[in-house]
Short mmCIF file of all heavy atoms in Angstrom, two decimals:
data_model
loop_
_atom_site.label_atom_id
_atom_site.label_comp_id
_atom_site.label_asym_id
_atom_site.label_seq_id
_atom_site.Cartn_x
_atom_site.Cartn_y
_atom_site.Cartn_z
N LYS G 1 24.91 -25.11 59.38
CA LYS G 1 25.73 -23.91 59.13
C LYS G 1 26.42 -23.96 57.79
O LYS G 1 26.54 -22.95 57.10
CB LYS G 1 26.76 -23.76 60.26
CG LYS G 1 27.59 -22.48 60.17
CD LYS G 1 28.49 -22.37 61.38
CE LYS G 1 29.29 -21.08 61.35
NZ LYS G 1 30.18 -20.93 62.55
N THR G 2 26.88 -25.15 57.38
CA THR G 2 27.61 -25.29 56.14
C THR G 2 26.75 -25.85 55.00
O THR G 2 27.23 -26.11 53.91
CB THR G 2 28.83 -26.21 56.32
OG1 THR G 2 28.39 -27.49 56.80
CG2 THR G 2 29.81 -25.60 57.32
N ALA G 3 25.45 -26.00 55.29
CA ALA G 3 24.54 -26.59 54.29
C ALA G 3 24.26 -25.62 53.14
O ALA G 3 24.45 -24.41 53.28
CB ALA G 3 23.23 -26.99 54.99
N VAL G 4 23.77 -26.16 52.05
CA VAL G 4 23.42 -25.37 50.87
C VAL G 4 21.94 -25.01 50.94
O VAL G 4 21.09 -25.90 51.07
CB VAL G 4 23.74 -26.13 49.57
CG1 VAL G 4 23.26 -25.34 48.39
CG2 VAL G 4 25.23 -26.43 49.49
N LEU G 5 21.65 -23.74 50.84
CA LEU G 5 20.28 -23.25 50.90
C LEU G 5 19.82 -22.89 49.48
O LEU G 5 20.48 -22.13 48.80
CB LEU G 5 20.21 -22.00 51.79
CG LEU G 5 18.84 -21.37 52.00
CD1 LEU G 5 17.97 -22.27 52.91
CD2 LEU G 5 18.98 -19.99 52.61
N LYS G 6 18.70 -23.42 49.06
CA LYS G 6 18.18 -23.13 47.74
C LYS G 6 16.69 -22.79 47.81
O LYS G 6 15.98 -23.22 48.71
CB LYS G 6 18.37 -24.32 46.79
CG LYS G 6 19.81 -24.65 46.47
CD LYS G 6 19.92 -25.80 45.47
CE LYS G 6 21.36 -26.10 45.10
NZ LYS G 6 21.47 -27.19 44.08
N GLY G 7 16.24 -22.00 46.82
CA GLY G 7 14.83 -21.67 46.73
C GLY G 7 14.41 -20.39 47.40
O GLY G 7 13.25 -19.98 47.28
N SER G 8 15.32 -19.74 48.11
CA SER G 8 14.99 -18.50 48.80
C SER G 8 15.51 -17.31 47.97
O SER G 8 16.69 -16.94 48.05
CB SER G 8 15.61 -18.46 50.20
OG SER G 8 15.40 -17.19 50.81
N SER G 9 14.64 -16.73 47.17
CA SER G 9 15.05 -15.58 46.37
C SER G 9 15.45 -14.40 47.24
O SER G 9 16.31 -13.60 46.88
CB SER G 9 13.94 -15.15 45.42
OG SER G 9 12.79 -14.72 46.16
N LEU G 10 14.86 -14.32 48.42
CA LEU G 10 15.17 -13.26 49.38
C LEU G 10 16.62 -13.36 49.84
O LEU G 10 17.39 -12.39 49.84
CB LEU G 10 14.24 -13.32 50.55
CG LEU G 10 12.75 -13.15 50.26
CD1 LEU G 10 11.92 -13.60 51.46
CD2 LEU G 10 12.45 -11.72 49.94
N THR G 11 16.99 -14.56 50.29
CA THR G 11 18.36 -14.77 50.77
C THR G 11 19.38 -14.63 49.65
O THR G 11 20.46 -14.10 49.85
CB THR G 11 18.48 -16.17 51.41
OG1 THR G 11 17.46 -16.29 52.41
CG2 THR G 11 19.85 -16.35 52.08
N ASP G 12 19.01 -15.09 48.46
CA ASP G 12 19.92 -14.94 47.31
C ASP G 12 20.19 -13.47 47.01
O ASP G 12 21.33 -13.08 46.71
CB ASP G 12 19.30 -15.60 46.07
CG ASP G 12 19.27 -17.13 46.16
OD1 ASP G 12 19.95 -17.66 47.03
OD2 ASP G 12 18.53 -17.74 45.37
N GLU G 13 19.15 -12.65 47.10
CA GLU G 13 19.33 -11.22 46.83
C GLU G 13 20.18 -10.58 47.93
O GLU G 13 21.02 -9.73 47.66
CB GLU G 13 17.99 -10.52 46.76
CG GLU G 13 18.05 -9.05 46.36
CD GLU G 13 18.45 -8.83 44.92
OE1 GLU G 13 18.46 -9.80 44.13
OE2 GLU G 13 18.74 -7.67 44.57
N ASN G 14 19.99 -11.04 49.14
CA ASN G 14 20.82 -10.56 50.24
C ASN G 14 22.29 -10.84 49.98
O ASN G 14 23.16 -9.99 50.15
CB ASN G 14 20.40 -11.21 51.56
CG ASN G 14 21.27 -10.83 52.72
OD1 ASN G 14 21.34 -9.68 53.10
ND2 ASN G 14 21.96 -11.82 53.30
N ASP G 15 22.56 -12.09 49.59
CA ASP G 15 23.94 -12.48 49.31
C ASP G 15 24.53 -11.67 48.16
O ASP G 15 25.71 -11.30 48.19
CB ASP G 15 24.00 -13.98 48.98
CG ASP G 15 23.63 -14.87 50.17
OD1 ASP G 15 23.65 -14.34 51.30
OD2 ASP G 15 23.30 -16.05 49.97
N LYS G 16 23.71 -11.39 47.18
CA LYS G 16 24.15 -10.60 46.03
C LYS G 16 24.58 -9.20 46.47
O LYS G 16 25.64 -8.69 46.06
CB LYS G 16 23.02 -10.51 45.01
CG LYS G 16 23.30 -9.60 43.83
CD LYS G 16 22.09 -9.52 42.90
CE LYS G 16 22.30 -8.53 41.77
NZ LYS G 16 21.09 -8.42 40.91
N VAL G 17 23.78 -8.58 47.33
CA VAL G 17 24.09 -7.22 47.78
C VAL G 17 25.31 -7.25 48.72
O VAL G 17 26.13 -6.37 48.70
CB VAL G 17 22.88 -6.58 48.47
CG1 VAL G 17 23.24 -5.21 49.05
CG2 VAL G 17 21.71 -6.45 47.48
N ASP G 18 25.38 -8.31 49.54
CA ASP G 18 26.55 -8.45 50.42
C ASP G 18 27.83 -8.49 49.60
O ASP G 18 28.83 -7.85 49.94
CB ASP G 18 26.45 -9.72 51.23
CG ASP G 18 25.60 -9.55 52.48
OD1 ASP G 18 25.27 -8.40 52.81
OD2 ASP G 18 25.25 -10.56 53.11
N ARG G 19 27.80 -9.25 48.49
CA ARG G 19 29.01 -9.34 47.64
C ARG G 19 29.31 -8.00 46.98
O ARG G 19 30.48 -7.64 46.81
CB ARG G 19 28.79 -10.41 46.57
CG ARG G 19 28.77 -11.82 47.08
CD ARG G 19 28.85 -12.86 45.94
NE ARG G 19 27.67 -12.80 45.09
CZ ARG G 19 26.56 -13.49 45.30
NH1 ARG G 19 26.49 -14.32 46.34
NH2 ARG G 19 25.54 -13.41 44.47
N PHE G 20 28.27 -7.26 46.66
CA PHE G 20 28.44 -5.95 46.05
C PHE G 20 29.11 -4.96 47.03
O PHE G 20 29.98 -4.17 46.65
CB PHE G 20 27.07 -5.43 45.62
CG PHE G 20 27.04 -3.98 45.18
CD1 PHE G 20 27.75 -3.55 44.08
CD2 PHE G 20 26.30 -3.05 45.90
CE1 PHE G 20 27.73 -2.22 43.69
CE2 PHE G 20 26.26 -1.73 45.52
CZ PHE G 20 26.98 -1.30 44.41
N LEU G 21 28.69 -5.03 48.29
CA LEU G 21 29.20 -4.09 49.31
C LEU G 21 30.54 -4.53 49.93
O LEU G 21 31.26 -3.70 50.51
CB LEU G 21 28.18 -3.89 50.40
CG LEU G 21 26.88 -3.19 50.01
CD1 LEU G 21 25.90 -3.21 51.18
CD2 LEU G 21 27.14 -1.74 49.60
N HIS G 22 30.82 -5.82 49.82
CA HIS G 22 31.98 -6.38 50.51
C HIS G 22 33.31 -5.63 50.23
O HIS G 22 34.01 -5.29 51.18
CB HIS G 22 32.15 -7.85 50.14
CG HIS G 22 33.32 -8.51 50.81
ND1 HIS G 22 33.34 -8.85 52.16
CD2 HIS G 22 34.54 -8.88 50.32
CE1 HIS G 22 34.50 -9.39 52.46
NE2 HIS G 22 35.25 -9.43 51.38
N PRO G 23 33.63 -5.30 48.98
CA PRO G 23 34.90 -4.60 48.73
C PRO G 23 34.98 -3.23 49.45
O PRO G 23 36.07 -2.81 49.85
CB PRO G 23 34.91 -4.41 47.21
CG PRO G 23 34.02 -5.49 46.70
CD PRO G 23 32.94 -5.62 47.73
N ILE G 24 33.84 -2.58 49.61
CA ILE G 24 33.86 -1.28 50.28
C ILE G 24 34.10 -1.48 51.79
O ILE G 24 34.90 -0.80 52.42
CB ILE G 24 32.56 -0.50 50.05
CG1 ILE G 24 32.25 -0.45 48.58
CG2 ILE G 24 32.68 0.92 50.62
CD1 ILE G 24 30.93 0.26 48.26
N TYR G 25 33.36 -2.46 52.37
CA TYR G 25 33.56 -2.74 53.80
C TYR G 25 34.98 -3.20 54.12
O TYR G 25 35.50 -2.95 55.22
CB TYR G 25 32.55 -3.78 54.29
CG TYR G 25 31.21 -3.22 54.64
CD1 TYR G 25 30.10 -3.37 53.80
CD2 TYR G 25 31.00 -2.50 55.83
CE1 TYR G 25 28.87 -2.83 54.11
CE2 TYR G 25 29.77 -1.97 56.15
CZ TYR G 25 28.71 -2.14 55.31
OH TYR G 25 27.48 -1.61 55.61
N GLU G 26 35.61 -3.87 53.17
CA GLU G 26 36.98 -4.33 53.38
C GLU G 26 37.95 -3.18 53.62
O GLU G 26 38.99 -3.35 54.25
CB GLU G 26 37.45 -5.16 52.18
CG GLU G 26 36.86 -6.56 52.13
CD GLU G 26 37.35 -7.43 53.26
OE1 GLU G 26 38.57 -7.65 53.36
OE2 GLU G 26 36.49 -7.86 54.07
N LYS G 27 37.60 -2.00 53.15
CA LYS G 27 38.45 -0.83 53.37
C LYS G 27 38.57 -0.49 54.84
O LYS G 27 39.58 0.05 55.29
CB LYS G 27 37.92 0.38 52.58
CG LYS G 27 37.95 0.18 51.07
CD LYS G 27 37.42 1.41 50.33
CE LYS G 27 37.42 1.21 48.83
NZ LYS G 27 36.92 2.41 48.10
N TYR G 28 37.54 -0.80 55.61
CA TYR G 28 37.62 -0.60 57.06
C TYR G 28 38.71 -1.49 57.66
O TYR G 28 39.46 -1.07 58.57
CB TYR G 28 36.30 -0.94 57.73
CG TYR G 28 35.24 0.14 57.61
CD1 TYR G 28 33.97 -0.19 57.14
CD2 TYR G 28 35.47 1.45 57.99
CE1 TYR G 28 32.96 0.78 57.05
CE2 TYR G 28 34.48 2.42 57.90
CZ TYR G 28 33.24 2.07 57.43
OH TYR G 28 32.25 3.02 57.31
N LYS G 29 38.82 -2.73 57.15
CA LYS G 29 39.83 -3.65 57.69
C LYS G 29 41.24 -3.14 57.37
O LYS G 29 42.16 -3.35 58.16
CB LYS G 29 39.63 -5.03 57.09
CG LYS G 29 38.35 -5.73 57.57
CD LYS G 29 38.27 -7.15 57.03
CE LYS G 29 37.04 -7.85 57.55
NZ LYS G 29 36.93 -9.25 57.04
N VAL G 30 41.39 -2.48 56.22
CA VAL G 30 42.69 -1.92 55.88
C VAL G 30 43.07 -0.82 56.90
O VAL G 30 44.20 -0.77 57.37
CB VAL G 30 42.66 -1.31 54.45
CG1 VAL G 30 43.96 -0.56 54.16
CG2 VAL G 30 42.43 -2.41 53.43
N LEU G 31 42.10 0.03 57.24
CA LEU G 31 42.35 1.06 58.23
C LEU G 31 42.68 0.45 59.60
O LEU G 31 43.58 0.90 60.31
CB LEU G 31 41.15 1.97 58.38
CG LEU G 31 40.89 2.98 57.27
CD1 LEU G 31 39.74 3.94 57.68
CD2 LEU G 31 42.13 3.80 56.93
N GLU G 32 41.92 -0.58 59.95
CA GLU G 32 42.14 -1.23 61.23
C GLU G 32 43.55 -1.86 61.31
O GLU G 32 44.24 -1.71 62.32
CB GLU G 32 41.10 -2.32 61.46
CG GLU G 32 41.22 -3.01 62.81
CD GLU G 32 40.21 -4.15 62.98
OE1 GLU G 32 39.51 -4.46 62.00
OE2 GLU G 32 40.18 -4.70 64.08
N ALA G 33 43.94 -2.51 60.22
CA ALA G 33 45.26 -3.12 60.18
C ALA G 33 46.34 -2.04 60.28
O ALA G 33 47.37 -2.23 60.97
CB ALA G 33 45.42 -3.91 58.90
N GLU G 34 46.13 -0.93 59.60
CA GLU G 34 47.11 0.17 59.68
C GLU G 34 47.24 0.67 61.11
O GLU G 34 48.34 0.90 61.60
CB GLU G 34 46.67 1.30 58.75
CG GLU G 34 47.58 2.52 58.82
CD GLU G 34 47.07 3.70 58.02
OE1 GLU G 34 46.50 3.48 56.94
OE2 GLU G 34 47.27 4.85 58.46
N PHE G 35 46.08 0.85 61.77
CA PHE G 35 46.09 1.34 63.13
C PHE G 35 46.79 0.39 64.09
O PHE G 35 47.62 0.78 64.89
CB PHE G 35 44.64 1.58 63.60
CG PHE G 35 44.52 2.05 65.02
CD1 PHE G 35 44.85 3.34 65.38
CD2 PHE G 35 44.07 1.18 66.01
CE1 PHE G 35 44.73 3.79 66.70
CE2 PHE G 35 43.96 1.62 67.33
CZ PHE G 35 44.29 2.92 67.66
N ARG G 36 46.50 -0.90 63.95
CA ARG G 36 47.12 -1.90 64.84
C ARG G 36 48.62 -1.99 64.63
O ARG G 36 49.36 -2.35 65.55
CB ARG G 36 46.48 -3.26 64.59
CG ARG G 36 45.04 -3.37 65.11
CD ARG G 36 44.47 -4.74 64.84
NE ARG G 36 43.14 -4.90 65.43
CZ ARG G 36 42.40 -5.98 65.31
NH1 ARG G 36 42.83 -7.01 64.59
NH2 ARG G 36 41.21 -6.07 65.87
N ALA G 37 49.09 -1.69 63.44
CA ALA G 37 50.52 -1.78 63.14
C ALA G 37 51.34 -0.62 63.69
O ALA G 37 52.57 -0.66 63.71
CB ALA G 37 50.73 -1.89 61.62
N GLN G 38 50.65 0.42 64.17
CA GLN G 38 51.36 1.61 64.65
C GLN G 38 51.92 1.39 66.06
O GLN G 38 51.35 0.65 66.87
CB GLN G 38 50.43 2.82 64.67
CG GLN G 38 49.81 3.16 63.35
CD GLN G 38 50.84 3.39 62.27
OE1 GLN G 38 51.83 4.05 62.47
NE2 GLN G 38 50.60 2.79 61.10
N PRO G 39 53.01 2.06 66.40
CA PRO G 39 53.52 2.01 67.77
C PRO G 39 52.50 2.68 68.70
O PRO G 39 51.68 3.48 68.26
CB PRO G 39 54.83 2.82 67.70
CG PRO G 39 54.67 3.66 66.49
CD PRO G 39 53.87 2.88 65.51
N GLU G 40 52.58 2.36 69.96
CA GLU G 40 51.59 2.84 70.93
C GLU G 40 51.50 4.36 70.94
O GLU G 40 50.41 4.93 71.07
CB GLU G 40 51.90 2.31 72.32
CG GLU G 40 50.76 2.47 73.33
CD GLU G 40 49.53 1.71 72.91
OE1 GLU G 40 49.66 0.64 72.27
OE2 GLU G 40 48.40 2.21 73.20
N ALA G 41 52.62 5.03 70.83
CA ALA G 41 52.63 6.49 70.87
C ALA G 41 51.82 7.06 69.68
O ALA G 41 51.10 8.05 69.83
CB ALA G 41 54.05 7.02 70.80
N LYS G 42 51.95 6.41 68.52
CA LYS G 42 51.19 6.89 67.36
C LYS G 42 49.70 6.66 67.54
O LYS G 42 48.86 7.47 67.12
CB LYS G 42 51.70 6.14 66.11
CG LYS G 42 51.14 6.71 64.78
CD LYS G 42 51.71 8.08 64.47
CE LYS G 42 51.32 8.56 63.09
NZ LYS G 42 51.99 7.82 62.01
N LYS G 43 49.35 5.53 68.19
CA LYS G 43 47.94 5.24 68.44
C LYS G 43 47.31 6.29 69.33
O LYS G 43 46.09 6.48 69.30
CB LYS G 43 47.79 3.85 69.05
CG LYS G 43 48.14 2.72 68.11
CD LYS G 43 47.99 1.38 68.82
CE LYS G 43 48.36 0.22 67.90
NZ LYS G 43 48.27 -1.09 68.59
N GLN G 44 48.11 6.93 70.19
CA GLN G 44 47.61 7.95 71.09
C GLN G 44 47.69 9.34 70.51
O GLN G 44 47.31 10.32 71.18
CB GLN G 44 48.38 7.88 72.41
CG GLN G 44 48.32 6.54 73.13
CD GLN G 44 46.90 6.17 73.51
OE1 GLN G 44 46.08 7.02 73.83
NE2 GLN G 44 46.60 4.86 73.49
N ASP G 45 48.16 9.45 69.30
CA ASP G 45 48.31 10.75 68.61
C ASP G 45 46.96 11.17 68.08
O ASP G 45 46.44 10.60 67.13
CB ASP G 45 49.34 10.63 67.49
CG ASP G 45 49.61 11.94 66.79
OD1 ASP G 45 48.83 12.89 66.96
OD2 ASP G 45 50.61 12.04 66.04
N ALA G 46 46.38 12.21 68.67
CA ALA G 46 45.04 12.67 68.28
C ALA G 46 44.97 13.06 66.81
O ALA G 46 43.98 12.80 66.13
CB ALA G 46 44.61 13.83 69.17
N ALA G 47 46.03 13.71 66.31
CA ALA G 47 46.03 14.14 64.92
C ALA G 47 45.99 12.94 63.97
O ALA G 47 45.28 12.94 62.96
CB ALA G 47 47.26 14.99 64.64
#
């Protein structure tokens, strides 16, 4: 699991794209954190 993988251009490209997309996906975590921080009544507010 923690080993270093080398020689796989496919996996390297995957990691490259993951890093490219990561900042955008992190925005979901910001929304999730905001939602979790709300009081229960606000969480049930449809608007």
Side-chain angles (χ1 to χ4, degrees):
K1 186 176 182 179
T2 59
V4 176
L5 182 72
K6 293 184 178 181
S8 175
S9 63
L10 299 165
T11 307
D12 290 345
E13 185 71 11
N14 175 63
D15 294 342
K16 175 183 175 182
V17 177
D18 278 348
R19 290 191 295 271
F20 170 64
L21 293 173
H22 180 74
I24 309 178
Y25 276 105
E26 284 294 300
K27 295 180 181 181
Y28 281 128
K29 292 185 178 180
V30 173
L31 286 188
E32 183 184 6
E34 176 186 325
F35 178 74
R36 289 180 175 177
Q38 303 304 315
E40 194 61 33
K42 189 69 173 289
K43 292 179 181 178
Q44 301 300 326
D45 183 345

